[in-house]
Structure formats: structure tokens, C-alpha cells
Amino acid sequence: METKREIKNKKKFYITTAIAYANAAPHIGHALEYIQADAIARYHRKKEDVWFLTGTDEHGDKINRVALSSEKTAKVFVDEIAKIFKALKKDLNLSYDDFIRTTDKKKHWPGVYAIWNKLLKRGDIYLKNYQGLYCVGCEKFLTEKDLNEEGNCPIHKKKPELVEEQNYFFRLSRYEGKIRELIESGKMDVKPAATRSEILSFLNQGLEDISFSRSKKTVPWGIPVKDSDQTIYVWGDALVNYISAIGYGRDEETFKRLWPAEVHLIGKDIARFHAVIWPAMLLSAGLKTPKKIFTHGYITVDGEKMSKSIGNVISAFEPAKKYGIDPLRYYVLREIPSDGDGDFSYDRLTERYERDLARGLGNFVSRTLNLINGEKIDVSKAPSKEVRDEVKRMRARVEKGFDEFRLHEALSAVFDFIKAGDIYVNDKQPWKNKSVKISRDLLAYLEHIGEYIEPFMPETSKKIKSALKYKEDFCTPKKIDPLFPLQK
Ligand SMILES: [Zn+2]
């Protein structure tokens, strides 16, 4: 079983990303979300039993259309896209434990049907006529916003027809008060504050029931509602991945152990689905709601919105191929505030690489290793108070950064620690006054950098740790190749 692991005595920590819509290959925005989630997962793995889930959302009209236009069946198309997304595990060095695909009939569909039936039993799913503007050319319902100034379909330049079809609806309105209470009490902690207040003001406008299915005619590519001519709409399908993947509807034991999620990490554009619709579904099914919802912002490229027509879309693979995985991870975690919008530019990446990584971290590590290379350092004794205080300061800031979803601040704390190490070396001038005490302090700096950098830059951490050879109470450091060589 993919989702079964040894039950350890540690506290569990279940984190998810959004599942990516499988209509195109991943771009730098996807990379941002995966790297953020990976850093959080790695950080918590040090003390908790982490389960980290990601995956792809593979149903719906849009995918069907893109597939048809590339003369593929939808299934062949999503198989290809899912494969590309899965390749990011290696190419971004992600540590996720499981990858869920919504077309997976064995793993995902049982959960979808299980929760549908719960909602139905609860009386929260009911049939109602749905009225919408239907474009025959597009073969889909358009909203007022989709129409051009003349009120026509912008593609077909024709007035859409007012069509009525019978759909299943979900009684979202019933859960308005309960969701507000969950958010206001912090039982479902929505961060950052801007997203939290957006959700609360959305709730204050009042919730209406939502359409929960589509006719098979309009959306044929999806999970069918049993004994009906309907397809389950995205809410009842994609959102359910967070519980279906861990066994809801097929492996109650694993599900009970892992649910509720400690963190759903998502983009702020889908905050309402996750902080309103999803918890309402869970409440209706008698399940717990997620503990935290973290939303990240948008990423621009050289100050501009990414778009196919401008031709500035950066693939999720490209920067890591050019600069290395850890430099990319460093950039997105440091330069882009986790809880806000940010920009990607190769110029900035080059700057960060040279200044922070090559001349900062890389230089400190090789400088220190040069000073203590080959020494046999007794590690049964603690480093000096001065160094221990620096460690304490860093630890507190790192903890706070991860807790509040301000990963850029956690990472800054690690780099301030490196700076403190540099100041220490300049102060003590160990090339003049060597002492066992100073060597032990320098080693403590390296050990803690190796440890604290791991969630952000796992490969770099591994390299630093490889320089520190332990035997019983002693460590004999040895030199390693430059971590971040400078290109000419
Ligand atoms: Zn149209």
C-alpha cells in the first residue's frame, strides 16, 4: 500500500499542495508552491511523522478540449501531463510521499463516491434547475463575465442561449455560520491575514447553494454521478483528493490516522474553494476541517504577468537546469515572500546566486573548513555561549517563520546566522590565534548551518554534512568542493 507506513510514536503532520490542473505543463508558479510545501514538509519531518501529498486535477471540460485539439484522447493527454508533473519530484528535489490523480479509479473515486453519499444522506445534495447562458459553439455555459461588450460569446460572436438543465446542488448556505466561527476562532487558521479577511467578508455577503454536477452532455470527461446523466462537478471531485488519497472510502485506518490535514498550501486565487466550499463539504460529511490553510501569492516574470501571448512563461524546469536545484529553491523561498506576491527574474537570480550563495554561504563554509580541516575536535563539550545564543536566536526565528508561513523570514534567519559566523571568524582571527575552543565554535556553526538549511536547500545541507566526519566523541572535518562555484 502506497499510503501505509510504519506507525511511529511521533505526532503526525499531513501537508498538501493544491492538485495542479492538468491542461498544460508546469510553470514557475507551480514550482513556487511545490518548493514552499517541500520546505515545510522537510522542516516538520525533523520532529514529526510527515505525510506530504501532491497531484493532478485531470477532469473537466477544459482538459477535454485541449486534448481534442491535440488529437488525443483525454486519458492519453492527462497521462502525459501527469508524467511531466511527476518529473518535478527529481528536478526540484521534492520529498512528497504520494501523488494523487483524479482519474485514478482505484484510489480517488471511492472517496468521491463515499463523500457524495454522505452529503446526500445528510440532505445537502438535491436536484434543482440550473439556468445558464450556453454557447453551442463552445459547448459550455458561459458567465456574464465571459461575454464581450455586445453580450456575445467572444469566440463565436453569437448570443449564448438561455438553457435550463437539472443539476445537483450542494446546500452550502447551511454552513455559513459554522465556517465563520471556525475561521474567527482560529480552529481553521487561514493565513495570511489578507486572505482571512477576504474570506470573512465573502461569508458576510451570505452564501448561496452551489451547483454540484453538470449534465454528461456538457461535461463528459469526469466522474459520473451513479444512476444519473450527470457528471460530478469540480468541488465534489478535485477537492476530495485530500481525503481520497489517504484512504477515505477505502482504507479507514490510514484515513483516521492522517486526517485532518495540518496544512493545505494553495494559491490565493483558490482560497474560497478551500476555506468555504471544502470545509462545508467536510462538515456535512461529519469530518474534521483542515487546521491551517496557507495561501501564497502570484508570481510575475520580470515584473509582468506570465502569459502565453507575451511569451514570457517560464517552465518549472528551466531555472533549475540553468542554475541548479538549490539556487532555484533558495531564490523562490528567499526573494518571494511566502505570503505575498513576488517576481522571478534571471538577473535577480544571478545576483542572489553570486552574493548570497557563492560569496555568502559557500564562502563561509569553505573558509571555515580550511581553518579546521583535519583537526580532531572533541564534540562532547558544548560550544561557547556566544555561539549557543546565536543558535537560539536563529531557532526562534525559524520556528516563527514556519509557523506563520513566512518562510522568507525563516531563511533570512539562517543567513543572519551565517553572517554572525563570518563576524565571529573576523573577530577571533583563528589563523593567528588557534584554539580548541574556537575550532569547536566554528564546527558548531557548520553543524547548525547544515541542519537548518536542509528544508530549503537539501542537497547543500547534504554536502556540508558530508564534510563533517564523526567518530565517537570526535569530529574531523575535511574540505569539500566549492558549494556554489562562480561562473566566469
Ligand atoms: Zn462560443
Side-chain angles (χ1 to χ4, degrees), residues 213-228:
S213 74
R214 291 285 185 277
S215 78
K216 265 184 201 158
K217 261 184 284 162
T218 54
V219 182
W221 179 241
I223 305 177
V225 179
K226 282 188 179 155
D227 308 316
S228 120

Side-chain angles (χ1 to χ4, degrees), residues 20-199:
Y21 197 58
N23 64 337
H27 53 68
I28 187 78
H30 294 101
L32 169 75
E33 182 168 311
Y34 297 147
I35 292 170
Q36 288 176 338
D38 189 63
I40 299 172
R42 286 177 187 271
Y43 175 72
H44 282 273
R45 231 176 246 124
K46 293 178 191 297
K47 46 189 179 176
E48 285 143 302
D49 189 11
V50 171
W51 192 257
F52 173 16
L53 173 75
T54 187
T56 35
D57 171 6
E58 304 185 353
H59 288 134
D61 192 50
K62 243 182 176 168
I63 284 174
N64 206 24
R65 263 155 225 289
V66 183
L68 288 177
S69 71
S70 48
E71 292 181 344
K72 285 170 187 159
T73 65
K75 181 72 173 94
V76 167
F77 182 80
V78 294
D79 282 351
E80 286 173 7
I81 296 281
K83 207 171 154 197
I84 301 172
F85 271 91
K86 280 185 173 176
L88 285 173
K89 178 161 196 171
K90 187 169 156 278
D91 289 359
L92 296 177
N93 197 2
L94 306 174
S95 64
Y96 62 75
D97 300 285
D98 194 14
F99 189 102
I100 181 85
R101 299 180 55 191
T102 56
T103 51
D104 190 330
K105 291 185 181 173
K106 283 195 185 131
K107 217 158 111 182
H108 179 60
W109 293 29
V112 168
Y113 285 125
I115 196 167
W116 179 279
N117 289 335
K118 279 268 160 102
L119 271 48
L120 199 64
K121 252 191 210 154
R122 185 74 204 269
D124 285 339
I125 288 181
Y126 61 95
L127 276 168
K128 194 178 116 175
N129 282 342
Y130 172 82
Q131 255 194 358
L133 300 165
Y134 188 79
C135 172
V136 182
C138 293
E139 291 181 56
K140 70 170 182 179
F141 285 100
L142 304 174
T143 65
E144 298 280 352
K145 267 195 287 178
D146 294 329
L147 307 179
N148 66 14
E149 282 166 10
E150 289 86 43
N152 292 334
C153 163
I155 302 164
H156 298 94
K157 316 282 180 217
K158 270 189 189 162
K159 269 220 165 17
E161 296 168 27
L162 189 67
V163 170
E164 218 178 82
E165 66 170 43
Q166 208 175 44
N167 288 160
Y168 285 101
F169 272 69
F170 171 60
R171 216 178 293 282
L172 182 64
S173 55
R174 190 182 210 174
Y175 298 96
E176 186 187 311
K178 184 71 189 149
I179 292 167
R180 185 184 294 112
E181 192 245 299
L182 281 170
I183 296 174
E184 279 175 345
S185 67
K187 279 183 201 144
M188 188 170 74
D189 186 14
V190 180
K191 281 200 161 76
T195 308
R196 184 179 180 271
S197 41
E198 186 222 300
I199 296 296

